[in-house]
């Protein structure tokens, strides 16, 4: 593992577990990230961030339903987490639950109306579901919040 590799190189500074898990995911090692994040989630079952991180890693590892379940549990603990709603919406959309995904995208936008990316992705979901007026409004908000730089 990366921790063992770091220790073998003489590093006395271990990576924080969440950072180590993110590095494992980035290096294409989701099974190891999931194993590490399961330990954290079991140690802190009431910590939304731990559950959300594990849920995201499970999605990367191809365990979508379990990942979605953990993202839902994290949101139950932190219902005002805009990024949590956005992440759950993406997972739901990829699993074919478009209507439910759109509701979570709308919550993410409501909680973070200053985030142009949330508006843009919500706009895509709206367009895919035929809510064209709302899609146009979301895209307009995204452009207003993050206008293109002049070329």
């Amino acid at each position: 593992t990366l921790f063992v590799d770091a220790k073998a190189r003489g590093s006395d500074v271990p990576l924080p577990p969440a950072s180590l898990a993110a590095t494992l995911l980035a290096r294409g090692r989701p099974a190891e990230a999931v194993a590490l994040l399961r330990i954290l989630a079991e140690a802190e079952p009431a910590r939304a961030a731990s559950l959300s991180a594990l849920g995201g890693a499970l999605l990367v590892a191809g365990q979508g339903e379990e990942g979605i379940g953990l993202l839902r549990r994290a949101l139950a603990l932190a219902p005002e987490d805009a990024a949590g709603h956005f992440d759950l919406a993406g997972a739901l959309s990829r699993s074919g639950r478009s209507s439910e995904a759109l509701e979570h995208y709308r919550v993410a936008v409501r909680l973070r109306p200053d985030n142009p990316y949330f508006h843009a992705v919500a706009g895509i979901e709206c367009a895919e579901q035929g809510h064209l007026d709302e899609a146009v409004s979301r895209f307009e908000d995204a452009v207003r919040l993050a206008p293109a730089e002049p070329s």
Side-chain angles (χ1 to χ4, degrees):
T1 68
L2 290 176
F3 180 74
V4 172
D5 293 344
K7 293 303 271 181
R9 288 192 309 272
S11 174
D12 289 328
V13 181
L15 292 172
S19 297
L20 177 55
T23 302
L24 288 165
L25 286 171
R27 291 193 178 184
R29 295 161 64 179
E32 291 174 75
V34 166
L36 177 60
L37 290 169
R38 278 193 197 282
I39 293 168
L40 288 177
E42 288 169 7
E44 304 174 310
R47 186 167 180 254
S50 296
L51 296 174
S52 183
L54 176 56
L58 286 162
L59 293 171
V60 172
Q63 298 173 40
E65 288 308 309
E66 186 180 0
I68 287 171
L70 284 163
L71 292 175
R72 288 184 195 282
R73 282 181 49 204
L75 279 176
L77 294 169
E80 299 299 309
D81 179 7
H85 283 281
F86 186 83
D87 291 344
L88 178 58
L92 290 166
S93 181
R94 287 187 298 279
S95 72
R97 293 176 252 185
S98 302
S99 295
E100 191 178 358
L102 183 54
E103 292 309 311
H104 284 281
Y105 281 131
R106 286 174 174 152
V107 172
V109 167
R110 180 181 54 79
L111 293 171
R112 285 290 313 277
D114 60 328
N115 188 314
Y117 186 68
F118 286 5
H119 283 279
V121 176
I124 292 168
E125 190 71 40
C126 287
E128 288 177 353
Q129 292 187 39
H131 303 285
L132 300 183
D133 289 341
E134 184 179 355
V136 168
S137 177
R138 298 282 181 215
F139 294 138
E140 288 173 344
D141 287 340
V143 170
R144 178 181 51 78
L145 291 165
E149 294 183 23
S151 36

